[in-house]
């Protein structure tokens, strides 16, 4: 633990104040200064506050209080067409092996009966930043490294910045209308919910955002919620930005047998069609897959599942995130092809190894709806 002493002059008296920069796992009983790149401390015996400076080498400091934190020093800046300088934040759950005290995360989505949170921000003018609430999910109960799914709730956007990906529509959650963006940053998929105007405080159901993401085919009930976080992504300026209060509660006791709803819901037969074109040789094959939305409603985010015949193993893919468990293949859209208007198509492909005679899969399901073959 590093310590600094700062002399403060007030009313002609010299007062010594201890300002502490803590590394991973410290605890704040009074105001605590963190300037370490990934320094963190705990508050209320329940949450972790982290400096989390990753996009610049310049100094950034946050002052941690008993209920949140404030950015006090921010010397770095980043171009607005790239990544921010940092994500100083407070979180509940696990982040890169740093878990908040007594957390019950990771927890499987199907096991969650309720997940609620409240957040209050203090904003400043003349800076470029977003006030972002992050929800992280992964197919495994992961406590370290990058998760596969990031849900971002943008409560305030200042300056010429935008979420990852592109707009795929709007939705109503927590009594408000949100613009929905979808894409990938190369390490994980991202769905962002952007408020049309600044929100300084919000009391809401985290589970509502998770359910909307699931209904878009981005996750399933078998995935795990690993952490929920609230903070700022500054690009330029931002001293004085603060999280003044934060709370989060995740309760178990959900129903693991509930299947996820489908998007769009099947009615009167298939609402999708799949064209599967393959080319095989002695010990390998390639496949091009085209999905057509044959329904009357737009599909915002898709997951295609099907079984590969024995002896086939996917090795690489393009234009989709493709995984294989046993014989079951799961293909999820990437940022540019997640939205399918009625009659619209999306295509992806992959290469695999082959043992034995080749044959193509015969049954496909898109977001839970059985597809016809075209």
């Amino acid at each position: 633990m590093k310590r600094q002493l700062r002399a403060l002059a007030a009313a002609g008296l010299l007062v010594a104040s201890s300002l502490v920069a803590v590394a991973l796992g410290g605890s704040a009983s009074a105001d605590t200064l963190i300037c370490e790149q990934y320094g963190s401390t705990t508050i209320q015996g329940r949450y972790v506050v982290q400096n989390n400076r990753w996009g610049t080498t310049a100094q950034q400091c946050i002052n941690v209080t008993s209920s949140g934190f404030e950015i006090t020093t921010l010397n770095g800046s980043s171009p607005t067409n790239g990544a921010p300088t940092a994500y100083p934040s407070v979180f509940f759950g696990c982040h890169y092996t740093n878990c908040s005290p007594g957390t019950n995360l990771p927890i499987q989505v199907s096991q969650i009966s309720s997940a609620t949170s409240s957040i209050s921000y203090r904003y400043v003018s003349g800076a470029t930043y977003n006030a972002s609430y992050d929800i992280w999910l992964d197919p495994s109960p992961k406590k370290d490294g990058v998760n596969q799914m990031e849900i971002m709730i943008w409560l305030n956007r200042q300056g010429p910045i935008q979420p990852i990906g592109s707009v795929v529509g709007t939705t109503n959650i927590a009594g408000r209308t949100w613009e929905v963006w979808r894409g990938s940053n190369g390490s994980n998929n991202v769905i962002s919910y952007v408020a049309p105007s600044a929100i300084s405080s919000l009391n809401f159901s985290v589970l509502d955002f998770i359910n909307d993401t699931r209904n878009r085919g981005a996750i399933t009930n078998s995935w795990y919620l690993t952490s929920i976080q609230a903070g700022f992504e500054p690009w330029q300026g931002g001293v004085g930005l603060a999280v003044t209060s934060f709370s989060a509660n995740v309760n178990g006791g959900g129903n693991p047998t509930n299947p996820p709803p489908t998007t769009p819901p099947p009615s009167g037969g298939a609402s999708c069609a799949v064209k599967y074109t393959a080319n095989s040789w002695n010990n390998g094959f390639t496949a091009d897959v085209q999905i057509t939305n044959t329904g009357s409603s737009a599909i915002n985010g898709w997951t295609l599942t099907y079984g590969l015949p024995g002896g086939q193993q996917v090795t690489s893919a393009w234009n989709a995130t493709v995984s294989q468990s046993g014989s079951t293949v799961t293909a999820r859209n990437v940022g540019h092809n997640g939205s399918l208007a009625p009659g619209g198509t999306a295509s992806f492909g992959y290469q695999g190894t082959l043992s034995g005679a080749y044959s193509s899969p015969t049954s496909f399901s898109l977001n839970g709806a059985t597809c016809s073959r075209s």
Side-chain angles (χ1 to χ4, degrees):
M1 180 179 291
K2 297 181 179 179
R3 295 182 179 271
Q4 292 177 303
L5 293 178
R6 180 177 67 181
L8 301 176
L13 299 176
L14 194 64
V15 182
S17 176
S18 176
L19 301 176
V20 184
V22 296
L24 209 64
S27 180
S29 57
D31 283 12
T32 300
L33 187 73
I34 301 178
C35 297
E36 305 249 333
Q37 181 176 7
Y38 299 114
S40 70
T41 189
T42 60
I43 60 174
Q44 301 176 31
R46 181 173 175 81
Y47 308 115
V48 175
V49 179
Q50 58 179 353
N51 197 26
N52 200 15
R53 172 177 58 81
W54 53 269
T56 178
T57 58
Q59 187 183 54
Q60 171 182 285
C61 298
I62 60 174
N63 185 57
V64 182
T65 68
S66 61
S67 60
F69 68 90
E70 177 184 353
I71 300 176
T72 58
T73 303
L74 208 165
N75 295 326
S77 64
S78 296
T80 56
N81 62 348
T85 62
Y87 182 51
S89 50
V90 54
F91 72 83
F92 176 78
C94 295
H95 178 84
Y96 283 81
T97 72
N98 189 11
C99 295
S100 58
T103 183
N104 59 342
L105 305 188
I107 185 173
Q108 201 164 38
V109 171
S110 62
Q111 298 285 353
I112 301 173
S113 60
S114 66
T116 57
S117 186
S118 65
I119 179 72
S120 294
Y121 290 100
R122 186 174 71 239
Y123 299 133
V124 299
S125 59
T128 299
Y129 65 90
N130 72 41
S132 175
Y133 193 105
D134 272 19
I135 304 167
W136 287 94
L137 302 111
D138 196 79
S140 65
K142 195 169 187 177
K143 295 183 180 180
D144 63 336
V146 178
N147 288 189
Q148 287 192 25
M149 186 70 229
E150 179 184 13
I151 302 172
M152 299 187 72
I153 307 172
W154 287 41
L155 289 93
N156 189 5
R157 171 171 54 169
Q158 296 296 315
I161 56 175
Q162 67 180 43
I164 291 168
S166 57
V167 178
V168 296
T170 60
T171 191
N172 291 299
I173 303 176
R176 299 171 183 270
T177 299
W178 307 84
E179 187 177 66
V180 184
W181 293 63
R182 189 162 183 173
S184 173
N185 61 18
S187 298
N188 57 269
N189 295 320
V190 186
I191 292 182
S192 302
Y193 299 85
V194 182
S197 59
I199 300 171
S200 59
S201 63
L202 189 66
N203 191 338
F204 66 102
S205 168
V206 174
L207 194 56
D208 287 348
F209 286 92
I210 294 175
N211 287 340
D212 186 81
T213 298
R214 181 198 61 193
N215 294 348
R216 296 173 186 274
I219 65 168
T220 69
N221 274 346
S222 66
W223 283 46
Y224 291 82
L225 171 64
T226 64
S227 70
I228 47 184
Q229 313 178 358
F232 299 94
E233 289 185 328
W235 272 260
Q236 297 168 4
V239 170
L241 291 171
V243 170
T244 57
S245 68
F246 172 82
S247 69
N249 290 281
V250 179
N251 298 309
N255 184 359
T257 63
N258 282 347
T262 58
T263 306
S267 59
S271 56
C272 50
V274 172
K275 182 179 180 181
Y276 192 93
T277 305
N279 178 40
S280 64
W281 55 95
N282 288 342
N283 57 1
F285 71 100
T286 60
D288 292 311
V289 186
Q290 183 184 76
I291 304 167
T292 301
N293 178 9
T294 59
S296 59
S297 301
I299 297 174
N300 292 315
W302 51 262
T303 299
L304 185 72
T305 57
Y306 52 94
L308 278 183
Q312 298 182 25
Q313 181 67 45
V314 176
T315 57
S316 62
W318 50 92
N319 290 331
T321 301
V322 179
S323 60
Q324 183 175 350
S325 177
S327 63
T328 301
V329 171
T330 302
R332 294 182 175 89
N333 68 276
V334 291
H336 67 270
N337 64 2
S339 183
L340 293 178
T345 63
S347 298
F348 69 93
Y350 56 87
Q351 182 170 331
T353 58
L354 174 64
S355 175
Y358 176 82
S359 61
S360 294
T362 58
S363 179
F364 300 86
S365 178
L366 185 72
N367 292 356
T370 300
C371 298
S372 61
R373 293 291 302 273
S374 62

